[in-house]
Amino acid sequence: MKMDRRSFLSFLIGGAAGTTLSPLPWKLTDDLAIWSQNWPWTPVPAGGEVTFVETTCMLCPGGCGVTVRKVGDRAVKIEGTPGHPVNDGGICILGLSGLQLLYGPTRVPAPLRRAGGRGENHWEKISWDDALALVVEKLAALRENRLSHTLACISGTDGGTVGRLMERFLTAYGSPNFIRTPSMRDAYEMTLHLMQGVQASAGFDVENADFILSFGSGILEGWGSPVRMFRAHSAWKEKGVKVVQIEPRLSNTAAKSDKWLPVNPGTEAVLALGLAHVILKESLHRKEFVDFYASGLDRWKNEVISKWTPEQVEAVTGIDKSTTVALARSFARADHPLALCGRGKGSTPGSIGEFMAVHALNALVGNINRKGGVWAVPGPDYIRWPEVEMDATAAAGMQQPRIDGAGTEKYIFARHLLHRVPEMVTAADPSLVQALFILEANPYYTLSDSALLKKAWDKIPFIVSFSSFMDETAQNADLILPNHMYLERYEDVSYAEGFNKPYIGLAKPVIHPQFSTMHAGDVILRLAKALGDPVQKAFPWEDYEGCLDDTFGDALETLRETGYRVEADFAPGSGYPVFETASGRFEFIPEEIRDAGMQAMVQPQGEEPAFPLILIPFDSQRLANGYIGDPPFVIKTVPDTVLKGDALFVEVHPETAKAIGLSEGRAALLATPKGQARVRVHLFEGIMPGLVGIPTGLGHQAYDGYLAGKGVNANALMGPVEDGASGLNAAWGIRAKLSRV
Amino acid sequence: MKHEQAKKYGMVIDLDKCTGCGACMVACMAENNVPFKEDETNKLDSITWMRVYQLTNGKPFPDTDICYLPRPCMHCEGDHGHSPCVSVCPATATDYSMDTGIVSQIYTRCFGCRYCMAACPYHARYFNWWDPVWPNGMEKYLNPNVSPRMRGVVEKCSFCYHRYQLAKDRAFMEGRRELEEEEYQTACTQACPAGAIVFGDLNNKTHRVHQIVQPDPAHAGRPKNPKAFRLLERLGTNPKVYYLSSREWVRRSGDHYLPHEGPGGGH
Amino acid sequence: MDDALFPKGVKRCPLPEFLMKLGPVVALLIWGVVAMLMCWIKGLNQTNMNDAYGFAAWIWADLTVIALGGGAFFTGFLRYLIGKEKLKNIINFAVLIGFICYSSALLILAIDIGQPLRGWFIFWHANVHSMLTEVAFCLTCYFGVLTIEYLPLVLENRQIDRVPFFHNLTHHMHEVMPLFAATGAFLSFFHQGSLGGVAGVLFGRPFAFREGLFIWPWTFFLFTWSAAAYGPCFTIMLAKITEKVTGKRLIKDDVYDLLAKIAGWMMATYIVAKIIDTWYWATVTAPARGMTFMQFYSNNPLYGIWILILEIVIGGVIPAAILLTRKGRNTPFALMTAVVLGVIGVCVNRWVMVLQTLAVPVLPFEGWPMYYPSWQEVATTLLPVAYGIILVAFSYRYLPVFPQEAELNPIVSEPAAPPAPAPDTDAEPADAELSPAQA
Ligand SMILES: Nc1nc2c(c(=O)[nH]1)N[C@H]1C(S)=C(S)[C@@H](COP(=O)(O)OP(=O)(O)OC[C@H]3O[C@@H](n4cnc5c(=O)[nH]c(N)nc54)[C@H](O)[C@@H]3O)O[C@H]1N2
Ligand SMILES: Nc1nc2c(c(=O)[nH]1)N[C@H]1C(S)=C(S)[C@@H](COP(=O)(O)OP(=O)(O)OC[C@H]3O[C@@H](n4cnc5c(=O)[nH]c(N)nc54)[C@H](O)[C@@H]3O)O[C@H]1N2
Ligand code: SF4
Ligand code: SF4
Ligand code: SF4
Ligand code: SF4
Ligand code: SF4
Ligand SMILES: [Mo]
């Protein structure tokens, strides 16, 4: 058939019409729609049998019980364990995000040896055997040269078996330099030691208190065991318990409190002494406690009465004298008033004078070791390993003074003074530290005065990180021996911060190790074995699980089942306990620290007029600021008044900002005696004029793209301020200057 | 046809207890496979089914006060089952369940016109501007009960509907039709460390939500509890999320009032 | 070289010159196409839209081009249903502009949705309660009608018309055209209204929400009305611009005058209704929700009361006043000013109904979000402009868009050319007298 124009056109039109009416276009559209619902790059999670594993969260010292939901061999969700003594089903933002850490890109996949310069982040994967051999070679050489004491370990934990294994390793090897990371725990332990003569940690019976007087404690920012504090806070709301928050910035705790007292920064202790003044002057104290169980009241009273009248307190703290009087009365008249201290999350120790002043308030109202009060909770008692048999080298090493000076005459009460290490290392030649282990800690990020820290770091020839994550410290180490992450390993959690009963939680392997990691406990045992006797002799266990078995004995089985052990009916003595001080009584003004104890205030570093403002770091429940870097979910919740793009906002009162010519969102240069950073300004009516508030927990340089490079590390702008009496770092702020750029 | 009494699932959030900790936000993200990007600081394209707002009383130092307000989807009933968002969706990709009162979202039906977002005054709806990307390996934690969404569709809080389905299944296996109050709880309720969220059936007098809120059926569920309020009550969206606050300024922050009106005014 | 394709009796520039002049427009088109492909391939993250501005530049452009394209249905309505025969001299152009506007609107919608491949769900899973469903159905149907209205014009191309089949087809199509025009007018009344309804039904958005009649908010009626008022302005404006660009008079002034006069009356009545609507909203609707009028216009850097003045006074009252006076209509500058102001007025109206509706904070503790389009949005929004110019240019070159062109521009300089064929038998000899501007 010959195709003429007409039939061609008919063919075209007919064909088009036919195709349109056929199922073809519909089929194709439908296929397209289905394809658009099944894009191969959008994952489809696999199903499987659903199981639940109960374990203990180790992301902060909170000690919460968590239940992990698994589908097949995948962990899909972490939830709080209902009925758990610490958190009873609740969970925090960080605990919830644990699986992002487990499966995330920040994990160290295998033992890594540094390939480029330090901190350049070039690594070479090596076998575990090679990695351990490297460490052993180094340690053996040091020991050979009688330099065993130049091995130091910075550890985030010291109570449980892993921390204790590490400490034991150092002892058997011959080094006294096992250093725990600082926190308010140091100050509370020292307070209990000085005033009550005990080695114990402070527990708070918050559930039974009926008046809370908080000296800057971030009850809702992560102080103590966070979930427990949140639950207590809700219970307070239900029962009508009064909460008074004393701090210069309207934190979440302050906002939720019944009364917020914006005190001049750093003068909290003076307010405590002023309250004591009123209580003593008006004889509102509990005589049945003070008269029979306490000593030194008269001397202390004289000081407090003469020095801290409400007028004098007003002049220093800015708190109206009538407020002080009224507050003292309502505090003293409550049935179970409880005074707390430790600023924010409590990640810096603080001045011992301040802790003692606040603790003395509790004593005045008789609220020590009794319902609703502060309890001395003895350290864990389940680790009863035989004494280490030291050889001459070890003994000689152990005789050396600690590099942080803790326990030396000047710092007689201090146990750990990590903030002193950078200075000590920088000062001496050759370096006092020849090898450094870092366990469950990230000092390269958390220590203040970054410039000095870097100098010290450069002087340490051999740095080994045990971190599961590529944190700043790991990134600046020479060798990484990655630990299993907490969801992959057994470990006892010997402590829940601020919990008022002896408690052990057990972390269990919820899931097989995802990478070529090794339990830090096993690494220590293998190092000991490779070093041979006498170090080896101190570790009579096949592996870490064997050690755990041996340590707990039969109790381990029950611990495995329930996930925790708590002395539910623990009471620190019946009625008022016997104190273990020389006098056998509660010491209002311990002889050893008498003068220093009254030096409650610590001045910030820096001078006016170069630094006309004061920078105060503030903590938030939405930002972890310790060893753990925040996973993506957590960073996602950070408000855009804190972080925008990579820029960090500092909080400034509108008037302060106006005086400098800064408006909302403007870029500024924040300078302190320790460093400077570009920031942006967020105007906030809730911060005292003259202050600059900087959020903690940002400014990481390591981890992944979800965290690195965002914001400014507050620690980098701060410096330690040594408390004259205790040696602890008591810095609560630093003088600063904010200028337009 | 015999049918069990229709449920009206709802929530009451105690703002006196809420600490602004954000656990509800993250519990929701973890439960519902909510994606995340490297930069989430632009809150206008950051998917948070549950979002915690910070409210301020606007007073100068030291009388300043702040309050946190978590905002899931309100599961608005509207005036007669006409939620703002449901009635506008051209493709029926979101629906109001008369059985549960839950406003569903069907991701594979949604074609991304975003009309529902324009309709929602609570900004409870989120568009997937990007393909969801989980860094290598992290997709292992994804929950198989909730499908990850693809780019180009809208998503929002579902009152963890899959938990309802699972609970119904379990009950059914045990030969029961009715769920106990605690059998169906949302992920945010479960996680909240402050116990600030209470979830349940507003129609069921034995459920805590009902007891706390005391919804008034004669006035489209307006709370009889004087401490309770709803967001933008006056728009007639008839939300099923209620808030409690003992602070007058907080209750007043939940809606607009003309200068001469007090809360509840204008009616 | 392409002379054979030109309409009878008119002069066109040489092809190379024509193509060269279109060069920049084609470049604009390519830029738009690139941006469009980026949006399709990479997704809507290429835009500056966000969860607060889920509707933005595109939806504004969509609503606007549909309002401006309203000249087609309203002129058709006037010609075929009311019997304003004179408008046949501009109806082709109005239909062409309508066709461009509606095809652009559909294209923009296809770019705007997050899952373009599922766009047809709007038909397949239609929700009858949704204004957008109504819009989609009417829009698509009306686009079909416009195609049918435009097709005869294409077929009237001199070469195509020589094919007897097409010649007859054209003839028959012309015969049934009133039916299509009526259908089109009906559909348009609806979808213009539905577009108004899109914003007006949003009872969660106090800025846009309006009470109304039955299921339709007042914006439904206002949108139809305004499209009828402003659409012809746009047609006039473009026709005038086409005249400027071609350097020829293409439509007689009496035609302009008639259309402008009708537009003027529509606009005047519309703007009265709009003022009443605004008044009622400001004093009754919004306060019932606890909101004051100025709340919608303060505390932000952009959305101020100036917008309302621009829309109602400058873009409504003033052009209506001009168009209502004979002098205004017959003074070229005044007429042009009026239609341009009118076009601005309707653009602003559609802009506030989309953008400001979303920008006004509804939760009392939220602020005003601000937005500016990304280059991809700008490029894709300009894409229809480029495409429109090209389509107008080609239509003008090859199709008898302007029936009066030959008459108004007799070819005298080329005696060699065969004389123009006799004008159509239905040409009205009275035309010249009616047009005072020709005198
Ligand atoms: N336990 C229980 N069983 C039921 C029912 C019930 O309610 N409970 N309901 C019954 C009924 S009515 C039905 S229809 C069936 C439904 O049964 P299924 O079809 O199994 O339904 P889902 O569990 O909703 O989805 C199955 C899987 O599809 C994944 N998925 C989601 N989106 C996509 C996608 O775009 N592409 C691909 N490839 N996968 C995707 C989901 O993550 C999920 O893992 O179940 C029946 N069985
Ligand atoms: N978010 C979300 N939404 C979904 C789906 C999803 O996966 N996720 N899946 C979709 C799918 S595939 C489906 S099929 C639908 C299911 O949606 P629905 O059909 O609404 O499912 P159900 O709520 O399981 O059951 C409806 C009601 O029937 C009651 N019922 C149970 N047994 C009987 C009986 O013997 N007699 C009578 N009279 N009533 C009975 C139940 O108690 C319940 O109130 O949900 C759809 N919606
Ligand atoms: S509070 Fe601490 S221990 Fe508890 S869940 Fe959160 S991170 Fe884990
Ligand atoms: S988890 Fe609870 S306390 Fe925390 S922000 Fe959410 S509602 Fe508030
Ligand atoms: S809150 Fe928004 S998304 Fe949720 S039901 Fe109401 S209108 Fe719809
Ligand atoms: S974006 Fe999706 S759910 Fe929302 S209206 Fe459009 S199709 Fe419906
Ligand atoms: S109810 Fe479920 S989906 Fe909704 S916010 Fe809470 S956790 Fe998310
Ligand atoms: Mo189904």
Side-chain angles (χ1 to χ4, degrees), chain B residues 85 88-94 105-106 109-117 125 127 152-154, chain C residues 132:
Chain B
C85 54
V88 301
C89 172
T92 334
T94 175
Q105 177 71 15
I106 307 161
R109 169 79 61 82
C110 170
F111 69 96
C113 70
R114 306 182 299 285
Y115 191 13
C116 51
M117 301 176 69
R125 292 181 160 267
F127 186 70
V153 304
V154 164
Chain C
L132 215 53

Side-chain angles (χ1 to χ4, degrees), chain A residues 37 41 43 69 74 76-77 79 96 100 230-231 234 238 252 255-256 514 622 636 638 645 685 710, chain B residues 15 17-21 31 35-36 38 41 43 47 61 64 68 108 131 140-142 163 190 193-194:
Chain A
Q37 293 168 15
W41 56 88
R69 182 160 89 226
R74 301 184 298 120
V76 302
K77 176 95 187 286
E79 283 157 4
L96 274 161
Q100 292 198 316
F230 282 43
R231 297 177 50 79
S234 290
E238 273 166 15
N252 285 7
K256 284 279 167 252
Q514 299 290 301
R622 303 232 193 128
K636 192 171 176 176
V638 174
E685 283 287 353
K710 295 185 193 296
Chain B
L15 302 184
K17 288 183 183 169
C18 171
T19 63
C21 71
E31 178 77 19
F36 50 88
E38 281 206 356
T41 61
K43 298 304 173 189
I47 303 177
F61 181 90
T64 324
Y68 288 93
T108 47
D131 272 308
K140 282 192 203 146
Y141 74 63
L142 293 177
R163 289 187 169 216
Q190 178 193 33

Side-chain angles (χ1 to χ4, degrees), chain A residues 37-39 44-47, chain B residues 108 143-148 150 165-166 169:
Chain A
Q37 293 168 15
N38 290 291
W39 287 348
V44 178
Chain B
T108 47
N143 177 1
N145 295 324
V146 181
S147 24
M150 61 293 293
Q165 291 180 314
L166 291 170
D169 291 347

Side-chain angles (χ1 to χ4, degrees), chain C residues 4-8 79-80 88 91-92 148-163 165-175 177 395 397-403 424 426:
Chain C
L5 291 166
F6 297 160
K8 281 172 271 179
R79 188 200 155 178
Y80 293 109
K88 76 177 188 323
I91 188 79
N92 286 348
I148 291 169
E149 290 188 77
Y150 179 52
L151 199 61
L153 190 65
V154 176
L155 299 180
E156 276 175 40
N157 172 280
R158 220 165 75 199
Q159 294 307 319
I160 301 180
D161 194 48
R162 280 163 57 177
V163 181
F165 170 77
F166 290 129
H167 182 83
N168 292 329
L169 182 63
T170 315
H171 180 74
H172 292 301
M173 285 185 84
H174 273 302
E175 272 177 3
M177 208 44 78
S395 297
R397 189 171 176 85
Y398 298 121
L399 306 178
V401 176
F402 298 102
D424 291 353
D426 57 348

Side-chain angles (χ1 to χ4, degrees), chain B residues 1-4 99 104 161 164-165 168 172 177:
Chain B
M1 192 178 101
K2 239 171 68 196
H3 206 279
E4 60 202 82
D99 278 346
S104 63
Y161 186 72
Y164 175 70
Q165 291 180 314
K168 289 288 279 189
F172 189 78
R177 286 283 162 82

